């Protein structure tokens, strides 16, 4: 392990020392999973054309597809070289419930439905996240056990600050999870509050465990050694003509860039996070 780490150099890799004394070699840099394109083959092609290789799809949207459409979507990802992980969609349910007319019914995520979907597509996916219940830690743990037993391989667990530090300690010390998802931060509107949370997480467990930031695309990705993240943040190029340079806060796009130019730029920058080993990497549109 030490020889491999030395060969890769300290700029490219680091060693995690798990609680059970197992060593795990990980490559530095953050893998960015582009999300929000379950229903858009054009967006998937756009990500692929700009060097993206990884996307996250949500069960919230996939559950509404026919079996033929579902499989066609996953086959399209495979055929153009996109690797897929799946999210349960519980966050999307919560977000839509907050947005919608209180008289409009938002269907919760059904554990059995999620499990059956995963079984039907598991040959097409890299992994998937647990069906987490933000206010119910015991139900989240039961869901983790159920999915592990029935899908055939375990999900990545999801931890929210409201679950408490004892629960994160148990997840880390079990040494069972390649990744632990950090959820619930989208509702933390203050960057300092997120920074404080991440400082505590990585000061306690940064040398032992790999973490995935669910819904993360801010400059905090440059401050903490997440293994991976996902978000629709690249889409601010299309919606607001905003750019996300690799190592600085977002900026307004030059007037000559149209919305497609902006989103292409953002995709390229976020792809670079995985190989962001050198502080001098920087690109601005001129």
């Amino acid at each position: 392990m030490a020889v491999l780490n030395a060969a890769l150099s300290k700029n490219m890799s680091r060693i995690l020392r798990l609680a059970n004394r197992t060593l795990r070699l990980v490559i530095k840099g953050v893998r960015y999973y582009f999300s929000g394109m379950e229903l858009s083959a054009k967006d998937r092609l756009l990500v692929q054309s700009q060097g993206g290789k990884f996307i996250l799809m949500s069960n919230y949207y996939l559950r509404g597809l026919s079996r033929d459409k579902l499989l066609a979507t996953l086959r399209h990802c495979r055929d153009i070289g996109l690797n897929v992980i799946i999210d349960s969609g519980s966050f999307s349910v919560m977000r839509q419930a907050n947005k919608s007319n209180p008289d409009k019914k938002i269907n919760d995520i059904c554990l059995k439905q999620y499990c059956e979907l995963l079984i039907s597509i598991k040959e097409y996916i890299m992994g998937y996240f647990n069906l987490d219940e933000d206010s119910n830690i015991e139900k989240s743990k039961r869901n983790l056990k159920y999915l592990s037993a029935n899908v055939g391989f375990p999900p990545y667990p999801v931890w929210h600050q409201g679950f408490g530090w004892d629960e994160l300690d148990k997840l880390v010390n079990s040494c069972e999870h390649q990744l632990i998802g950090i959820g619930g931060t989208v509702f933390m509107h203050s960057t300092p509050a997120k920074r404080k949370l991440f400082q505590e997480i990585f000061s306690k467990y940064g040398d032992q465990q790999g973490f995935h930031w669910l819904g993360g695309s801010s400059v905090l990705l440059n401050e903490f050694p997440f293994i991976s993240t996902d978000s629709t943040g690249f889409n601010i190029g299309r919606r607001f003509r905003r750019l996300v340079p690799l190592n600085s806060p977002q900026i307004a796009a030059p007037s000559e860039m149209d919305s497609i130019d902006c989103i292409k730029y953002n995709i390229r920058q976020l792809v670079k996070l995985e190989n962001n080993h050198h502080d001098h990497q920087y690109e601005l549109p001129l």
Side-chain angles (χ1 to χ4, degrees):
M1 186 72 73
V3 170
L4 285 172
N5 193 44
L8 288 169
S9 88
K10 65 179 181 179
N11 288 325
M12 293 184 63
S13 63
R14 61 193 177 97
I15 295 176
L16 299 181
R17 293 171 174 81
L18 280 60
N20 64 0
R21 299 180 181 273
T22 299
L23 300 181
R24 180 179 293 161
L25 184 68
V26 297
I27 302 299
K28 290 182 178 178
V30 182
R31 175 166 292 173
Y32 188 95
Y33 289 86
F34 296 88
S35 60
M37 54 196 66
E38 294 85 356
L39 309 179
S40 177
K42 288 184 178 180
D43 279 355
R44 296 193 292 270
L45 285 167
L46 189 60
V47 166
Q48 185 268 346
S49 72
Q50 301 305 306
K53 296 180 181 179
F54 302 93
I55 64 173
L56 177 142
M57 290 189 167
S58 173
N59 174 57
Y60 180 83
Y61 300 102
L62 296 180
R63 63 181 179 171
L65 302 181
S66 67
R67 176 172 173 78
D68 287 346
K69 180 65 174 176
L70 173 66
L71 294 180
T73 298
L74 272 295
R75 286 169 183 154
H76 179 250
C77 295
R78 181 189 61 189
D79 292 345
I80 64 174
L82 293 179
N83 302 282
V84 180
I85 58 173
I86 304 294
D87 179 68
S88 70
S90 60
F91 168 74
S92 295
V93 169
M94 187 185 311
R95 183 176 59 185
Q96 291 301 319
N98 289 338
K99 284 183 178 180
S100 300
N101 185 316
D103 295 328
K104 181 179 179 181
K105 180 173 175 57
I106 305 295
N107 292 325
D108 290 335
I109 303 299
C110 170
L111 177 62
K112 183 178 178 182
Q113 173 274 320
Y114 185 41
C115 182
E116 290 175 350
L117 179 136
L118 291 166
I119 291 170
S120 71
I121 64 172
K122 63 182 180 180
E123 66 180 286
Y124 298 101
I125 64 175
M126 298 173 61
Y128 65 100
F129 287 97
N130 187 35
L131 173 53
D132 55 304
E133 303 282 345
D134 186 30
S135 60
N136 193 328
I137 187 171
E138 292 305 320
K139 189 172 182 181
S140 297
K141 290 161 74 170
R142 290 196 298 271
N143 292 347
L144 183 72
K145 185 176 181 180
Y146 179 90
L147 292 168
S148 298
N150 289 279
V151 174
F153 61 101
Y156 307 127
V158 178
W159 178 83
H160 299 256
Q161 190 174 19
F163 287 176
W165 292 102
D166 286 346
E167 184 58 30
L168 183 56
D169 195 64
K170 291 175 185 176
L171 288 171
V172 171
N173 285 313
S174 73
C175 303
E176 296 175 359
H177 309 294
Q178 182 181 5
L179 279 179
I180 294 175
I182 305 299
T185 64
V186 173
F187 299 111
M188 299 171 65
H189 299 296
S190 163
T191 295
K194 294 176 186 177
R195 180 179 287 110
K196 182 178 179 181
L197 173 65
F198 296 154
Q199 285 172 340
E200 189 158 4
I201 290 172
F202 284 100
S203 66
K204 290 175 179 287
Y205 308 110
D207 293 333
Q208 303 177 59
Q209 176 65 53
F211 292 100
H212 176 104
W213 181 9
L214 287 157
S217 62
S218 79
V219 291
L220 291 176
L221 290 172
N222 297 312
E223 297 182 28
F224 299 97
F226 287 100
I227 297 293
S228 54
T229 187
D230 69 273
S231 85
T232 59
F234 64 98
N235 236 333
I236 63 171
R238 173 184 286 145
R239 297 172 60 196
F240 307 112
R241 294 186 64 255
R242 302 285 294 177
L243 304 179
V244 286
L246 185 63
N247 289 312
S248 70
Q250 61 177 258
I251 58 174
S255 59
E256 63 270 19
M257 294 181 72
D258 63 23
S259 61
I260 295 300
D261 290 332
C262 293
I263 197 171
K264 285 181 176 179
Y265 172 89
N266 289 344
I267 291 168
R268 292 196 301 271
Q269 297 308 297
L270 291 165
V271 166
K272 290 178 184 178
L273 282 169
E274 188 159 356
N275 298 301
N276 188 19
H277 308 308
H278 305 289
D279 292 340
H280 65 265
Q281 288 192 91
Y282 194 76
E283 176 184 326
L284 284 175
L286 298 175

